[in-house]
């Protein structure tokens, strides 16, 4: 491993596909077992003794990431730096600004995309192996649906040939390698070729294009990731990542999933009778009321109230959210300080049993999930007997009036009125 290396976490994405969860929260700060996704990357860098040379590059919501890094630095005694990209002109442009603006970068740069997920222990192992390699290297992951990603082409010796852009003409059942968002590159090669890289049709400098230019002139090895890996781009990706991390955590503890109930008895008040089916993860304070049923992969992030006769399954309940009574929350993400009115139900299964589709940037896409409930933004309130259809997203700071059936996405800062025409006559 080179002693002169700088670690960079690219955290400048807008997170538009993650709406409504990114209304006032940068995507790297969204929770994985109630801690920011960014925490996984920072902990792995700490194990590699790279935090004092680390740079986190951001663009949107800089203040919140800065606040988080300040707390992390205070806790660990490290000196992680924060840089702001001047304009959102691509990952290559971000690296170019670091090369021009940062001091004492050393001989190599380790780049980690801030929106990728690998289980915590696996991330540390992957970084260790990549850092021990002498020369340019990029992590790749074999996936069985290349239509969602750009193809990474390699030769028979494990050298990078080319990273292709995502193509819609690739059938959904074709497998192959994709860019896993972790790479170590020589500073000299980056400086030599980044200014020679052509601007993409989107008007951006893409780091993948820089890599292609380097690979044509120098060796860039690939490192196949064998563990779970995800590009956390949508709310259901976040849900899947939390489930994977919880399963890994229980495995590390040597617990069977059904017996893996992780919470502090001194901060969680349970009012019997209550049914808990593992794996379950509760962080911080929570009150769990009588006749409630917390099923597998329930995650509570603190300051939560789960009231009478509530059932929760495979869901993230963020900090301060309250689900007070007679609710069903299945395969859903409930944002911070949300309050669900009595009888609010999140439907999570289509009548035809097909995968749930959800609207993303004006287009309905297949989420890949047969069961998917609601995505509810921070500070939203629902009235009593609200019914939310599968895959629906409700914006932040929104009010839903009583008795509504929510069958389409609701924007941020909205009020939903539901007219119920009634005719009453005497007998």
């Amino acid at each position: 491993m080179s002693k002169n290396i700088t670690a960079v976490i690219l955290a400048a994405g807008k997170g538009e596909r993650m709406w409504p969860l990114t209304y006032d929260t940068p995507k790297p700060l969204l929770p994985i077992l109630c801690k920011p996704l960014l925490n996984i990357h920072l902990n792995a860098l700490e194990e590699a003794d790279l935090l004092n040379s680390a740079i986190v590059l951001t663009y949107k919501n800089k203040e919140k990431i800065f606040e988080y890094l300040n707390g992390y630095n205070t806790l660990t005694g490290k000196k992680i730096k924060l840089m702001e990209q001047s304009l959102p002109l691509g990952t290559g442009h971000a690296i170019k600004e670091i090369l021009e603006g940062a001091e004492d970068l050393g001989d190599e740069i380790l780049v980690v995309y801030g929106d990728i997920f690998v289980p915590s222990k696996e991330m540390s192992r992957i970084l260790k192996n990549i850092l021990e390699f002498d020369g340019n290297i990029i992590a790749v992951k074999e996936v069985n649906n290349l239509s969602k990603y750009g193809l990474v082409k390699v030769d028979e010796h494990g050298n990078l040939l080319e990273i292709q852009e995502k193509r819609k003409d690739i059938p959904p059942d074709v497998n192959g390698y994709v860019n896993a968002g972790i790479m170590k590159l020589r500073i000299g090669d980056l400086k030599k070729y980044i200014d020679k890289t052509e601007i993409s049709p989107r008007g951006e400098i893409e780091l993948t294009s820089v890599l292609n230019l380097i690979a044509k002139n120098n060796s860039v090895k690939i490192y196949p990731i064998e563990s779970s890996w995800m590009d956390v781009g949508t709310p259901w990706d976040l849900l899947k990542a939390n489930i994977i991390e919880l399963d890994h955590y229980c495995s590390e503890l040597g617990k069977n999933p059904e017996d893996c109930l992780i919470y502090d008895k001194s901060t969680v008040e349970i009012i019997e009778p209550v049914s808990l089916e593992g794996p379950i993860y509760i962080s911080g304070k929570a009150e769990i009321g009588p006749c409630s049923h917390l099923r597998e992969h329930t995650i509570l992030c603190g300051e939560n109230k789960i009231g009478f006769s509530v059932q929760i399954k495979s869901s993230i309940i963020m900090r301060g959210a309250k689900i007070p009574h007679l609710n069903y929350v299945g395969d859903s993400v409930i944002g911070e300080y949300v309050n669900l009115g009595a009888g609010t139900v999140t439907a999570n299964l289509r009548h035809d049993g097909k995968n749930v589709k959800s609207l993303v940037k004006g287009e309905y896409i297949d989420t890949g999930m047969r069961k998917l409930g609601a995505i509810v933004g921070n500070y939203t309130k629902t009235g009593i007997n609200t019914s939310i259809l599968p895959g629906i997203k409700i914006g932040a700071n929104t009010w839903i009036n009583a008795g509504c059936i929510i069958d389409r996405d609701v924007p941020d800062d909205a009020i939903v009125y539901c007219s119920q025409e009634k005719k009453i006559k005497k007998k």
Side-chain angles (χ1 to χ4, degrees), residues 60-112:
K60 188 180 180 183
N61 283 330
K62 175 188 72 172
E63 293 77 12
K64 288 203 170 187
I65 293 182
F66 185 76
E67 181 182 349
Y68 173 73
L69 288 179
N70 268 346
Y72 194 96
N73 283 338
T74 300
L75 185 66
T76 61
K78 304 299 181 181
K79 298 178 181 178
I80 306 164
K81 302 172 185 174
L82 180 72
M83 288 185 63
E84 184 178 9
Q85 190 176 6
S86 60
L87 291 168
L89 296 178
T91 49
H93 177 265
I95 296 299
K96 187 175 189 301
E97 291 204 330
I98 287 174
L99 294 177
E100 294 172 348
E103 300 178 355
D104 302 323
L105 290 175
D107 304 315
E108 295 178 319
I109 186 170
L110 173 73
V111 180
V112 180

Side-chain angles (χ1 to χ4, degrees), residues 1-7 44-51 53 107-108 110 124 127-135 184:
M1 171 182 165
S2 171
K3 293 182 180 179
N4 300 311
I5 187 166
T6 297
L45 292 178
E46 184 175 18
E47 287 194 25
D49 198 25
L50 286 176
L51 276 188
S53 68
D107 304 315
E108 295 178 319
L110 173 73
S124 296
L127 291 193
K128 179 177 181 293
N129 291 339
I130 284 178
L131 289 167
E132 287 177 348
F133 180 80
D134 184 20
K184 181 173 69 70

Side-chain angles (χ1 to χ4, degrees), residues 305-336:
K305 180 176 181 179
I306 312 301
F308 171 76
S309 199
V310 168
Q311 184 175 130
I312 303 175
K313 166 194 171 285
S314 299
S315 295
I316 306 168
I317 313 300
M318 294 190 190
R319 180 168 53 93
K322 292 177 173 53
I323 305 174
H325 32 246
L326 303 170
N327 307 111
Y328 175 72
V329 178
D331 304 274
S332 299
V333 182
I334 308 299
E336 293 185 351

